[in-house]
Amino acid sequence: MDYVAHFHREVQAFEAACRRVAGREAPPVPSCAGWTMSDLVMHLSGVHRVVTAVIEERLAQPPDPSGLAHLLPADTEGWPLSGRTPSLGVLPVGLVDWFAEGAAVLEDVFAGTGPDERVWTWSAERTAGFWSRMQTIEAAIHRWDAENAVGEPGDMNAEMAADAVTQTFEVMVPARRALKKAPPGAGETFRFVCDEGAWTVRFEGDELLDEGSPDLEVAGTASQLMLFLWQRIPADRLAVSGDPKLLDRYFELAPPI
């Protein structure tokens, strides 16, 4: 999959959504509780610069956030730098410009770095390719968040969304379970289906298996499955077969971050 092309499309669309309200009151972001658009832009801009530093410097450990302060421009008036949310007031045009600059640099870094290059990540997979995949997915999710804050959000690209579903079970669910100390599974088995593929997930103790007869099946487009698994849309937008109460159990076993 060409993650660079997908990343480019998503960050461009994210920027376009932000430009619609830049210089005006920053709207709340309904899908990111307690955040305004300013907080969302600041978050993604910061993540991009951290990932850029990790890959460019071939870091084997996470970077010291205090060492990234020099990346801020001289004029940050009105920027959400305090860590307190929501950040009310105007969405600064300069903040959106800063996002665009950082996203372009990271895109170039992805394009110029082999996916097998060894670098630090927060996952067991310690490669630059992990970051290009992860940041493409994160850019797409936050693009949807931004568009949803200012109007009607567009669907996810089907190829990218199907890969994001796979990545959910390969990477995100194990990470969420460990971080949130999720309860052990008792064999609960879920199947997620779209035109691009199907995924069976069984929670057995602390293991996540891709086998078993499903207790619940959830079907929709790849975009809908991705957005549902990232808790952006409710289950009533999909076709659910089986006991719908098991959906609550799924998110107990795979808690959101």
Side-chain angles (χ1 to χ4, degrees):
M1 182 180 296
D2 187 350
Y3 288 112
V4 175
H6 286 298
F7 180 81
H8 176 82
R9 181 191 62 250
E10 296 297 345
V11 296
Q12 289 286 305
F14 179 88
E15 180 187 350
C18 297
R19 294 286 182 198
R20 292 174 58 182
V21 292
R24 293 189 281 155
E25 189 78 13
V29 181
S31 49
C32 298
W35 280 12
T36 67
M37 189 77 91
S38 293
D39 300 309
L40 183 62
V41 178
M42 190 71 197
H43 164 74
L44 197 53
S45 299
V47 169
H48 285 174
R49 281 165 171 80
V50 168
V51 175
T52 294
V54 167
I55 297 175
E56 285 191 326
E57 299 173 29
R58 302 297 192 266
L59 297 182
Q61 299 293 331
D64 179 358
S66 65
L68 301 173
H70 69 282
L71 298 175
L72 289 168
D75 181 9
T76 57
E77 184 177 355
W79 289 30
L81 298 173
S82 68
R84 294 190 297 270
T85 58
S87 299
L88 304 178
V90 168
L91 169 59
V93 173
L95 177 56
V96 181
D97 294 339
W98 193 62
F99 163 79
E101 292 166 5
V105 170
L106 183 55
E107 181 181 331
D108 287 343
V109 169
F110 286 150
T113 307
D116 295 329
E117 192 73 40
R118 298 287 294 176
V119 297
W120 172 82
T121 76
W122 50 260
S123 175
E125 181 190 349
R126 300 298 179 94
T127 68
F130 168 89
W131 284 119
S132 61
R133 187 188 198 192
M134 182 73 250
Q135 288 312 303
T136 296
I137 293 168
E138 184 167 2
I141 284 292
H142 288 325
R143 181 272 298 168
W144 189 94
D145 293 330
E147 290 180 346
N148 188 51
V150 299
E152 184 66 26
D155 289 340
M156 299 294 177
N157 171 273
E159 178 190 39
M160 186 275 302
D163 183 64
V165 174
T166 299
Q167 194 259 10
T168 294
F169 302 126
E170 288 180 345
V171 177
M172 300 306 296
V173 170
R176 292 173 185 176
R177 286 184 56 76
L179 182 65
K180 295 295 184 75
K181 297 180 173 57
E188 299 91 336
T189 306
F190 304 85
R191 186 168 175 81
F192 299 89
V193 181
C194 67
D195 287 345
E196 287 70 27
W199 299 261
T200 298
V201 185
R202 179 158 65 95
F203 295 88
E204 193 68 62
D206 291 330
E207 291 189 273
L208 187 66
L209 307 174
D210 59 354
E211 59 186 31
S213 177
D215 303 306
L216 185 75
E217 181 174 287
V218 180
T221 66
S223 176
Q224 288 171 328
L225 291 182
M226 177 186 177
L227 289 166
F228 170 73
L229 291 169
W230 279 80
Q231 291 200 303
R232 262 45 182 195
I233 64 171
D236 61 14
R237 303 237 194 129
L238 299 106
V240 178
S241 303
D243 184 356
K245 293 180 181 178
L246 282 174
L247 289 173
D248 292 335
R249 178 60 174 164
Y250 171 80
F251 286 112
E252 290 176 3
L253 295 166
I257 292 177

